[in-house]
Amino acid sequence: MASRGAILLGQCMPCIKKNASKIRIRHMELDKNLNMYFKKDEYFFAHDPEKVCKTGDIVLIRELPQRLTRLISHTVEKIVYPLGDIIDPITGKKVVVGKYRDEIEDANRLYGKSEKAFDYEKAPPRGRLEGTRDFTHGETYIKYHEDGKDQPFAV
Amino acid sequence: MNFGKILRTSSVHWQLARDYAFKSDLKIKWVRPEKLPCTKPEKSGDLGKLPSINEKELRLDFKNSKELQDADPVVQSLFQLGNNPLAETSRYLRDQMIKEVQRHPLDYGSMEAKLARMTVRIRSMQEQLDKFPRNIKVKVTLKELIDKRKKFLKYLRRWDYRRFEWMLEKLDLVYKPPPTKFHWITRKESLQKLTDAHCEQIKEERLAEYRKVLNEQKIPFLEDAIKKMEFVHKEQIDLEIPLTVTEEQIADFKRELEYLKSERETKTEDRE
């Protein structure tokens, strides 16, 4: 099993481990009783010391010949789709929902683009608000104890 | 009563004991977090407040009216925000906020504009609810609106991450994803979690202590090992036996010792 170096496609999940990313592999499992398929999640920890993949990214992971630690069994091979930065694989253009970004920009220009509006060229890369406004890089929990300290991930 | 266990208190006496309610001896104090209504800004993620408005500002529809500019001051005052219903102020604020984020001057339907409009409505409703806490209609609408805005933020994050971040900054919001599983807060479960955290902390402390002890033994051990290796090396040369300890190995050990010593010195300097 270990020597085959299998490649898996999965989604990165929030993870507190220092040099690993938690990857969710989702597949459909047949329930023979109901004759229906149901989602089944499998989690793998991939070695990722620089934390290249962020929560929600679609990544390829490759199986290591040997387990690095008790948990880490894979390495991150490639980030296929970063979350919220989708590229259409056929044309290679960036997409937002059902439209190309260029088309949206063109429409804005026709109407007269507002100066205060969001600009892709000026916008810094993802991750600058982590821990201040955007708490999606970790798992939130329901607050169960009041200890006087600040609990950023408590809801 | 559930007496599952018999305790022997002394050589003669026996006592029935309940076995199901385990009570910990640890002095962990659990404080139940106060219930915060979901309509409060701390819960809904609104960091900012509505801007204070100039009461002499004219109503939205009559802002550019030329007739009003030359009109009598009494007539003008009829169109000021302070002399009009609160809804007019809300409308004015909504328009201001949308203009901050809209893509072009005619854009009132993009996700940014929708979020801006919702945010102003939420904030004005929150103010309203503070004044009249028993206004159930406002409370329900507010709750629904907050949930809807959260859903829209979730979508925007998935579609266009950088725009989502920009929106959070513009509207002064905090986004926290919902917890994976809902559960009620109970004393038992909370105490279990606190006890686990306590045990983990003890484990860490003891490990750190032991690591320190082991690290302190490193330098004496290396010094001793180098001395012995040098002795063995010398003896093997003298007796002309095949060498098992080479000079390279000794040099390696010496290098490690030097490194450890220099590291310790830098640490003590840092402390001073």
Side-chain angles (χ1 to χ4, degrees), chain B residues 169-207:
Chain B
E169 267 189 338
K170 273 269 172 180
L171 301 180
D172 222 352
L173 293 174
V174 165
Y175 179 77
K176 288 182 186 180
T180 42
K181 210 180 140 197
F182 174 78
H183 60 93
W184 294 108
I185 295 300
T186 56
R187 181 186 160 275
K188 186 175 179 178
E189 204 190 335
S190 309
L191 272 175
Q192 274 172 356
K193 281 179 189 166
L194 286 176
T195 312
D196 284 349
H198 177 74
C199 293
E200 199 60 33
Q201 198 193 337
I202 288 178
K203 213 165 104 184
E204 289 294 317
E205 275 170 17
R206 289 194 185 162
L207 274 174

Side-chain angles (χ1 to χ4, degrees), chain A residues 65-77:
Chain A
Q66 262 180 344
R67 273 178 182 268
L68 264 187
T69 64
R70 195 165 51 81
L71 280 175
I72 299 170
S73 57
H74 289 70
T75 50
V76 174
E77 182 91 354

Side-chain angles (χ1 to χ4, degrees), chain B residues 153-169:
Chain B
L153 279 172
K154 181 180 80 180
Y155 291 161
L156 187 63
R157 175 173 174 266
R158 205 165 60 204
W159 298 340
D160 200 341
Y161 208 103
R162 289 190 287 166
R163 198 185 286 269
F164 161 77
E165 283 184 328
W166 179 79
M167 281 305 285
L168 288 187
E169 267 189 338

Side-chain angles (χ1 to χ4, degrees), chain A residues 84 97 111-112 114 116-118 120 123-124 126-129 133-136 140 143-146 152 154, chain B residues 29-31 33 100 102-105 157-163 165-166 169 172-173 175-177 179 185:
Chain A
V97 203
Y111 282 113
S114 158
K116 287 175 186 166
F118 174 75
Y120 284 107
R126 172 191 170 179
R128 81 204 135 100
L129 298 181
R133 288 178 190 280
D134 177 14
F135 290 92
T136 48
T140 53
K143 194 173 190 177
Y144 60 89
H145 177 55
E146 189 73 66
Chain B
K29 199 174 171 246
W30 172 59
V31 188
E100 281 291 308
Q102 65 184 178
R103 296 178 184 181
H104 51 80
R157 175 173 174 266
R158 205 165 60 204
W159 298 340
D160 200 341
Y161 208 103
R162 289 190 287 166
R163 198 185 286 269
E165 283 184 328
W166 179 79
E169 267 189 338
D172 222 352
L173 293 174
Y175 179 77
K176 288 182 186 180
I185 295 300

